[in-house]
Amino acid sequence: MFNFIRRSRRAAQVVIVIIIIPFVFFGVDYYFRGVGAEGDVAKVGDIRISPQAFEAKLREQQNRARQQMGERYDPAMFNTPEARFAVLNQMITENLLLKKANDDRFRVNDQKVSDTISSIPAFQEDGVFSPDLYRQILSQQSMNPAYFEYLVRSEFLVTPLTEPVQGGELSAASTAERYYLLASEQREVAMASLDTADFAKQVKISDEEVEAYYTQNPQAFQSPETVSVEYVKLNKAELLANITVTEAQLQGAYERDKKRYEQPETRDAAHILIAVARDAANAQKTEARKKAEDIFAQAEAAPGRFAALAKEFSQDPGSAAQGGELGTVAMGSFVKPFENAVFGARESGVVGPVETDFGYHIIKVTIHPARQPSLDEIKSRLTNDLRQNEANTAYAEKATEFMNLVHEQTDSFDELSERLNIPISKAEFLARTQVAQLADGNQNLAAAVFSAESLRDRQNTDAIEFGTDAIISARVIDYKPATVRPLDDVKANIKRLLENRQAFELVRAAGEEKLAQLRQGKSVSGLTFGKPVTIGRQQQPGFTAEAQAEVFRLEAGGLPAYMGAAVGQSRYMIYRVDKVLPPAVPDAAQKAAVAQMLNEMKGREALNAYLQNLRDNTNVVINQSKLDAAR
């Protein structure tokens, strides 16, 4: 989300109308308020991270992963101690920075936050900030406006702390060149493989060995506990799909809310800059102004050539290549003389030269008068608004009734299904992860279904909210505890596992013996090297990361040189380095690119060290039991 904000910051220059967003900054208190120290997931100094805050952050990360990964998304990836700790650690880092910013009395006014959000194109319709679209997009991200506004404010607060640290590292040109030569080096390598299949005939596994492995590793053959459930879901998306809007409804809504859809006057600007420093000598300023006046005369005589003139003469590196285009101009986005010229123009045309601290500007102003779009022009947007409003109302009413009915008839969904016209679904023999999938991976459902009370009483779970405007309740109708599978069911698998292990040990021993012989200069039988291939330091097919790194650690003198490595549990590879291929000396652009990369790497290291120092000097406490219990 922060990257989204950062990428959109430039858009602040093209806002048409700034709408002041109502700031209800209960968000900070709500997201970081706990129920007492013993109820917090963690504390960063005096800042509490409550279970609610952690769960909100976890949902935010899950939603982001779901959107990025699509069908490849697996909710189970977040249901590990490592993933949960990573999310908490991110929250701790964010709060360390916020605490430092507050301690140093950094402040961000409401107007700056409002302007930033209003200027984000994703929240605009026809170039104008839309509160409805804003809330809709945040809802899709499982956020509310207060929390998003808190994120934006936080970004502005911590940037002055992090950017100087990250951007303050520089690498010498000689260092960049050495790194480039090292990173670009290539080696010619031939490979030989020893596979477990070649040793399979030497392996014999007895029934006693199979039984011993089964006895010693019962957890490996345990079937998970499963439940059969019936469940009911209420989903706003399904309600929305069944809502239609009539022409009469559209016409009535259009007449009631005409003002909402008015498009105010906007002004686009393009410019040609003849740069001259504010403190330049009078002669330089006079020369620059004369040049600007000559270009102005050409542009005024032929406005259609303005873009070509900008590409030829403009000294603004940010806009010259685009024909001087600056997009839609908003008050407060440019220096005052420039804005006065743009908004003082009575009609579209070329104005100037206008003097600012940057030099002289010739400005092409295009005025788009205020207008009232017709119903046909906004029909699609209006239809969506009406459908969304009706779906929101219907969902709110049905969700309330859903929650009540779940508890009124605790051992059945029949009445709920009849009154809300929701089907009762059934699913059999589901493990915990599969139960969570019924609610798009929400682990709260799995925890409720597999709770001792639910398994014992077979009553409806609480109504559990998940995703974007969806709710579910389930009831256990059958339960199978975890059991160890009989030996006869897994005997063949155990035998295959032990055979592969033993064959692999034979392969490893044979490979290491042959590698030792090669390094001693002896001839080796039963080993065939393939055609040499040229590899670089980037990951290559046929190489593990460790093997590839080892290949490049071999001394360049005394070639050929050999090294070996196990690949998985099925083969042993021997690598023969025949040649070292040094790269060409880098040119200035390549050295500059490498220097930039090194600066960024060192900047990240410096930032990590800075964050660690903040952590070392702040009392950070993690409540592991609450972290494990939070869902």
Side-chain angles (χ1 to χ4, degrees):
M1 183 60 71
F2 285 164
N3 289 335
F4 172 52
I5 297 168
R6 190 176 292 113
R7 286 195 303 269
S8 301
R9 207 171 280 165
R10 176 75 169 87
Q13 297 180 346
V14 296
V15 181
I16 300 170
V17 175
I18 299 296
I19 298 178
I20 303 301
I21 305 169
F23 283 90
V24 188
F25 279 103
F26 61 79
V28 179
D29 181 56
Y30 173 79
Y31 280 92
F32 295 98
R33 180 177 63 230
V35 294
E38 67 281 0
D40 300 323
V41 178
K43 286 189 68 179
V44 182
D46 294 330
I47 300 174
R48 295 173 175 176
I49 299 178
S50 68
Q52 295 92 333
F54 176 76
E55 290 162 11
K57 189 67 156 182
L58 189 62
R59 285 195 300 272
E60 177 187 327
Q61 299 286 14
Q62 289 171 327
N63 289 337
R64 184 174 300 148
R66 184 183 293 111
Q67 291 171 358
Q68 292 174 346
M69 300 176 69
E71 294 181 355
R72 295 181 294 111
Y73 172 71
D74 180 5
M77 65 194 294
F78 284 94
N79 195 29
T80 66
E82 293 80 8
R84 296 166 68 76
F85 182 77
V87 172
L88 178 61
N89 201 49
Q90 179 184 344
M91 297 183 73
I92 289 171
T93 296
E94 292 169 358
N95 281 286
L96 284 168
L97 289 168
L98 287 174
K99 181 178 183 302
K100 175 65 173 172
N102 288 325
D103 290 347
D104 290 350
R105 300 185 181 279
F106 289 5
R107 295 291 181 267
V108 179
N109 62 49
D110 291 352
Q111 184 68 46
K112 185 170 185 178
V113 178
S114 175
D115 288 353
T116 298
I117 294 175
S118 299
S119 69
I120 295 174
F123 300 148
Q124 296 177 351
E125 289 184 346
D126 301 323
V128 180
F129 175 79
S130 166
D132 290 340
L133 182 60
Y134 172 58
R135 287 189 290 269
Q136 178 185 338
I137 291 176
L138 292 188
S139 176
Q140 292 168 359
Q141 302 288 329
S142 296
M143 290 188 190
N144 64 33
Y147 183 50
F148 182 73
E149 290 151 13
Y150 164 74
L151 291 179
V152 176
R153 183 180 294 273
S154 300
E155 171 77 353
F156 281 123
L157 283 172
V158 304
T159 296
L161 296 173
T162 58
E163 283 191 349
V165 177
Q166 285 183 289
E169 298 293 329
L170 298 175
S171 298
S174 58
T175 301
E177 182 172 348
R178 286 196 302 273
Y179 184 92
Y180 176 89
L181 293 172
L182 185 65
S184 303
E185 178 189 290
Q186 294 181 314
R187 296 196 169 196
E188 197 173 273
V189 182
M191 295 175 280
S193 174
L194 287 81
D195 298 307
T196 53
D198 299 330
F199 292 79
K201 292 181 180 180
Q202 302 178 35
V203 175
K204 300 295 180 185
I205 301 297
S206 67
D207 289 344
E208 290 75 17
E209 289 175 294
V210 171
E211 188 169 350
Y213 185 86
Y214 176 81
T215 303
Q216 294 164 11
N217 300 277
Q219 72 284 352
F221 309 106
Q222 192 173 60
S223 298
E225 60 179 340
T226 61
V227 291
S228 295
V229 296
E230 60 180 22
Y231 61 95
V232 285
K233 281 185 187 180
L234 176 66
N235 193 319
K236 192 184 83 172
E238 293 179 2
L239 298 176
L240 181 65
N242 294 319
I243 292 173
T244 58
V245 177
T246 66
E247 288 294 327
Q249 287 175 303
L250 285 170
Q251 187 66 48
Y254 177 73
E255 294 299 333
R256 285 194 307 272
D257 296 331
K258 262 188 175 182
K259 287 187 176 295
R260 176 184 172 191
Y261 300 103
E262 283 182 0
Q263 295 176 0
E265 177 190 279
T266 61
R267 299 194 174 208
D268 294 344
H271 81 140
I272 299 168
L273 171 65
I274 304 303
V276 62
R278 181 175 58 178
D279 56 355
N282 288 335
Q284 290 177 289
K285 287 188 175 183
T286 299
E287 182 181 351
R289 182 172 184 84
K290 183 179 184 308
K291 184 176 181 180
E293 289 171 345
D294 290 342
I295 297 170
F296 171 76
Q298 296 179 57
E300 189 177 37
R305 293 193 63 243
F306 191 92
L309 292 170
K311 291 177 181 178
E312 182 178 356
F313 296 111
S314 181
Q315 294 170 321
D316 175 11
S319 67
Q322 286 74 47
E325 289 293 339
L326 297 173
T328 302
V329 177
M331 291 296 291
S333 300
F334 295 89
V335 293
K336 206 65 180 171
F338 189 99
E339 283 185 359
N340 290 342
V342 171
F343 289 97
R346 295 183 177 276
E347 58 185 18
S348 297
V350 181
V351 298
V354 176
E355 183 179 2
T356 72
D357 289 346
F358 302 101
Y360 295 96
H361 307 258
I362 301 96
I363 307 170
K364 180 182 178 182
V365 180
T366 304
I367 301 175
H368 304 286
R371 59 183 295 271
Q372 175 68 56
S374 67
L375 173 58
D376 286 341
E377 289 178 87
I378 63 166
K379 180 175 285 188
S380 176
R381 173 185 169 189
L382 185 55
T383 299
N384 183 63
D385 288 349
L386 291 176
R387 292 179 68 239
Q388 287 287 348
N389 289 341
E390 187 173 339
N392 288 338
T393 301
Y395 177 76
E397 293 173 352
K398 286 178 178 288
T400 300
E401 192 170 2
F402 186 108
M403 294 178 187
N404 293 334
L405 290 171
V406 160
H407 294 290
E408 288 175 7
Q409 188 178 13
T410 59
D411 59 353
S412 170
F413 292 125
D414 291 345
E415 184 177 354
L416 185 152
S417 174
E418 183 178 348
R419 286 174 58 173
L420 298 183
N421 193 27
I422 297 174
I424 301 173
S425 302
K426 292 184 179 180
E428 296 183 329
F429 309 121
L430 304 182
R432 284 178 177 267
T433 300
Q434 294 167 312
V435 170
Q437 289 285 14
L438 298 177
D440 293 345
N442 190 307
Q443 295 298 323
N444 291 343
L445 179 63
V449 166
F450 281 92
S451 69
E453 295 83 357
S454 180
L455 297 176
R456 181 188 65 235
D457 301 335
R458 308 291 173 94
Q459 293 190 341
N460 306 339
T461 67
D462 287 339
I464 294 170
E465 295 182 88
F466 68 96
T468 303
D469 295 325
I471 193 168
I472 188 172
S473 177
R475 187 173 69 84
V476 175
I477 56 178
D478 194 12
Y479 172 69
K480 292 186 181 298
T483 57
V484 177
R485 298 171 64 189
L487 174 59
D488 286 343
D489 289 356
V490 296
K491 182 183 291 185
N493 291 339
I494 296 174
K495 186 174 182 181
R496 207 160 32 244
L497 171 68
L498 296 178
E499 285 173 344
N500 288 338
R501 284 188 179 181
Q502 197 172 112
F504 181 67
E505 291 306 316
L506 293 174
V507 165
R508 184 198 296 273
E512 291 175 350
E513 181 183 355
K514 292 180 185 297
L515 177 62
Q517 292 173 348
L518 288 168
R519 286 175 169 173
Q520 293 168 12
K522 297 178 181 180
S523 60
V524 176
S525 60
L527 193 66
T528 303
F529 284 93
K531 183 179 179 181
V533 295
T534 299
I535 68 169
R537 291 182 182 270
Q538 295 77 23
Q539 187 68 45
Q540 302 288 330
F543 291 81
T544 64
E546 296 78 8
Q548 188 169 338
E550 186 63 30
V551 163
F552 277 89
R553 277 196 289 267
L554 291 174
E555 294 293 336
L559 299 180
Y562 299 91
M563 59 84 55
V567 178
Q569 295 291 312
S570 61
R571 57 185 174 146
Y572 188 89
M573 298 292 298
I574 296 178
Y575 304 93
R576 186 187 72 214
V577 179
D578 294 332
K579 291 181 183 177
V580 173
L581 307 173
V585 175
D587 59 27
Q590 290 168 325
K591 280 193 268 190
V594 171
Q596 176 65 24
M597 181 191 70
L598 292 177
N599 293 344
E600 291 174 358
M601 289 171 57
K602 292 163 73 174
R604 285 193 295 271
E605 291 174 1
L607 179 60
N608 289 337
Y610 174 71
L611 293 173
Q612 187 60 52
N613 182 63
L614 287 180
R615 190 159 185 160
D616 291 343
N617 289 284
T618 305
N619 184 29
V620 177
V621 179
I622 295 176
N623 187 337
Q624 189 64 47
S625 63
K626 287 295 179 182
L627 175 61
D628 293 338
R631 286 290 183 269

